[in-house]
Amino acid sequence: MNINNSVRQIVSALFVLGLCGCAAVNHATARATQVQPPQQTPTTTAQSHSALVGIAGEIYGVIISGTPLQTKPNIDDLAPIVVRIMDVYPHGDAWRYDIEFIGFAPGDYQLANFLEREDGSELGSVPDVTMSVRTELPPGQILPHELGVLNLPPVGGYNRLAVAASVLWFLTLGYLIFGMKKKRSLSVAEQEHDDFATYLRKRLQAARSGTLSHEEYAELERMLISYWRRKLGLEDRGMAESLRELKQHSDAGPLFLELERAIHAPGALQDVDFEALLLPYENVSLDEISH
């Protein structure tokens, strides 16, 4: 009886030990087969990492021995590439670096050219890591095409309006200066007299009394020259030549000579017969003088 109880106890103990052993084996097997998270492979040999222009590229696990590193200061705003250190981890007696770069011009760039020691010591040995910046533009083209020049229609028309207004202004000014000047010589005669003979008689009386001014004499002379040049067909000749011929003319000459004498010797017309001088102008209207 006692022997049977002992056997039962031994069997029970062995069964419990077997269950514990199976549980331990299953736990160890589960831990051994558990999926580990992916890790970046440290960079210790020559590698090349590429990215498109303007797109960030990343390099993980670059192992470099020696004192800690930093990127060189970027002093050029137009640098073709920018490099920065994202993270640093201890790796035995070395350091493991995660690096980011952004390229702005296509080409291959060596990582070592952008690193330096924080303590200012020599850089030493650095893995051969190339940062390759690529572009999707056609081979040989590094810049966008130039924009074409379009022939756009004129907008607003301000320049044309300004030119037209200027031309109109000058035409109006020319009319006021030259057009009105042509009529000025007869303005007084048209207001005060009915015909040219009456106007001349008034001027001759002023010349006889010595009250004919030089301006009035010049006005009268211009009127007479203009009238006789048209009447005798002398308009294609110069003013001086026309005046010489008029002074020699039988009808025009006497009045020109007497007026010239009066302007230089006031009172010289005291004995002049006005009616004889005005005879060629008796039937001349003011319209004939002004046109």
Side-chain angles (χ1 to χ4, degrees):
M1 196 67 173
N2 291 331
I3 294 175
N4 292 333
N5 291 333
S6 298
V7 171
R8 289 193 190 95
Q9 290 176 357
I10 292 173
V11 172
S12 298
L14 291 175
F15 180 73
V16 171
L17 289 174
L19 291 177
C20 291
C22 289
V25 170
N26 289 335
H27 180 68
T29 302
R31 291 191 62 184
T33 58
Q34 184 178 5
V35 178
Q36 298 295 325
Q39 296 182 357
Q40 301 291 340
T41 302
T43 299
T44 57
T45 59
Q47 292 190 15
S48 177
H49 300 264
S50 64
L52 294 176
V53 172
I55 304 300
E58 297 175 344
I59 308 172
Y60 292 95
V62 180
I63 299 175
I64 303 176
S65 60
T67 58
L69 296 172
Q70 64 183 11
T71 55
K72 293 180 179 179
N74 182 21
I75 60 176
D76 185 4
D77 293 335
L78 300 178
I81 188 172
V82 175
V83 180
R84 74 180 186 93
I85 296 174
M86 296 187 295
D87 291 303
V88 182
Y89 309 96
H91 190 85
D93 59 352
W95 301 91
R96 188 172 75 250
Y97 298 88
D98 293 341
I99 295 173
E100 180 184 64
F101 64 93
I102 301 178
F104 303 103
D108 295 331
Y109 306 89
Q110 296 300 316
L111 175 62
N113 296 333
F114 299 89
L115 300 176
E116 62 182 10
R117 299 288 179 183
E118 291 183 357
D119 58 6
S121 60
E122 292 293 329
L123 180 62
S125 177
V126 175
D128 184 11
V129 177
T130 301
M131 299 172 291
S132 179
V133 180
R134 298 182 291 106
T135 176
E136 294 183 349
L137 294 174
Q141 182 177 340
I142 61 175
L143 295 175
H145 291 292
E146 294 291 338
L147 294 177
V149 179
L150 299 179
N151 294 323
L152 299 176
V155 178
Y158 173 78
N159 290 339
R160 295 181 180 179
L161 180 60
V163 171
S166 300
V167 171
L168 181 61
W169 187 87
F170 280 108
L171 290 176
T172 304
L173 180 63
Y175 172 77
L176 293 176
I177 294 177
F178 299 103
M180 300 303 292
K181 183 178 179 181
K182 182 179 179 181
K183 298 181 179 180
R184 181 183 175 185
S185 61
L186 291 180
S187 59
V188 177
E190 290 175 349
Q191 294 174 7
E192 298 179 354
H193 311 286
D194 296 330
D195 53 46
F196 188 48
T198 304
Y199 172 75
L200 288 176
R201 189 175 289 106
K202 294 281 189 181
R203 288 291 178 264
L204 289 175
Q205 290 174 353
R208 172 182 288 178
S209 62
T211 59
L212 184 67
S213 66
H214 288 277
E215 290 77 12
E216 292 173 327
Y217 168 78
E219 179 184 18
L220 180 57
E221 187 179 51
R222 284 195 301 269
M223 293 168 60
L224 292 171
I225 292 174
S226 176
Y227 167 70
W228 284 109
R229 288 183 72 191
R230 286 197 305 271
K231 184 176 181 64
L232 301 178
L234 303 178
E235 293 177 306
D236 57 339
R237 302 186 186 183
M239 185 65 69
E241 183 180 358
S242 298
L243 186 56
R244 283 196 301 269
E245 290 197 24
L246 292 178
K247 288 181 179 180
Q248 298 173 3
H249 191 268
S250 59
D251 291 334
L255 182 56
F256 277 103
L257 295 174
E258 292 299 335
L259 285 174
E260 191 175 72
R261 187 163 65 97
I263 198 65
H264 294 293
L269 298 182
Q270 297 295 332
D271 56 349
V272 174
D273 184 3
F274 286 172
E275 298 306 320
L277 290 178
L278 297 178
L279 187 61
Y281 307 96
E282 286 296 335
N283 298 319
V284 178
S285 66
L286 290 175
D287 289 338
E288 293 182 64
I289 300 297
S290 59
H291 294 89

